[in-house]
Amino acid sequence: MPGEQGPGEQGPSEQGPGEQGPGQHEAPGDRFEDLVDELVGCPGVTPPRGGSGFGRSALRWEKKIFAMFVRGRLVVKLPATRVDALVAGGDGVRFDANKGTPMKEWLSLDPESRLAWLPLAREALDFAQSGRSELG
């Protein structure tokens, strides 16, 4: 009927790049590309450099990695207490870089998590800019 809208009809258009939830039409790789497009306009942020090796898919702030796309998942660097809370809430696991030792300041976001990617990546950028990381 005219003037009536069902819940969520504005859906994805109300969300910014990288903010689609599970079940939305965008593939994880495309979501990360949208995230990169959104954040490279921020001062000091550089896009992934490609190539091979660790960090090839990483967003950096002044050469510090704060977000990357690894094995189909968004991986972000956050304070250890924040990572603890997100892991406890079922939103992801600690990232281990295939070395067998989970990294306490790195979260590998579960693909089924309902957390929006852009705000999480901005939180990681804020953390990088704060200089509070234990490992730099």
Side-chain angles (χ1 to χ4, degrees), residues 1-132:
M1 297 197 121
E4 288 184 30
Q5 288 182 323
E9 280 198 3
Q10 294 293 319
S13 65
E14 292 180 344
Q15 298 171 323
E19 293 190 77
Q20 290 75 16
Q24 301 273 332
H25 300 290
E26 198 168 14
D30 294 335
R31 290 175 73 187
F32 188 72
E33 286 180 25
D34 288 346
L35 193 95
V36 169
D37 291 345
E38 184 73 22
L39 294 175
V40 293
C42 298
V45 174
T46 54
R49 63 176 179 241
S52 63
F54 184 80
R56 68 182 168 270
S57 67
L59 275 164
R60 291 174 170 78
W61 176 77
E62 296 187 357
K63 300 183 183 178
K64 295 180 184 178
I65 296 172
F66 68 90
M68 56 189 168
F69 190 67
V70 180
R71 297 184 294 273
R73 291 175 158 226
L74 175 64
V75 177
V76 290
K77 187 170 187 177
L78 300 167
T81 53
R82 177 71 166 130
V83 172
D84 291 343
L86 291 167
V87 168
D91 287 302
V93 297
R94 284 175 188 79
F95 180 68
D96 75 1
N98 285 331
K99 297 189 186 239
T101 305
M103 302 165 87
K104 61 185 169 182
E105 290 187 330
W106 287 92
L107 175 79
S108 177
L109 189 66
D110 187 308
E112 299 302 314
S113 172
R114 300 201 51 84
L115 293 177
W117 286 25
L118 184 57
L120 201 58
R122 287 189 184 280
E123 188 178 342
L125 174 57
D126 290 345
F127 181 55
Q129 292 170 331
S130 76
R132 293 179 292 148

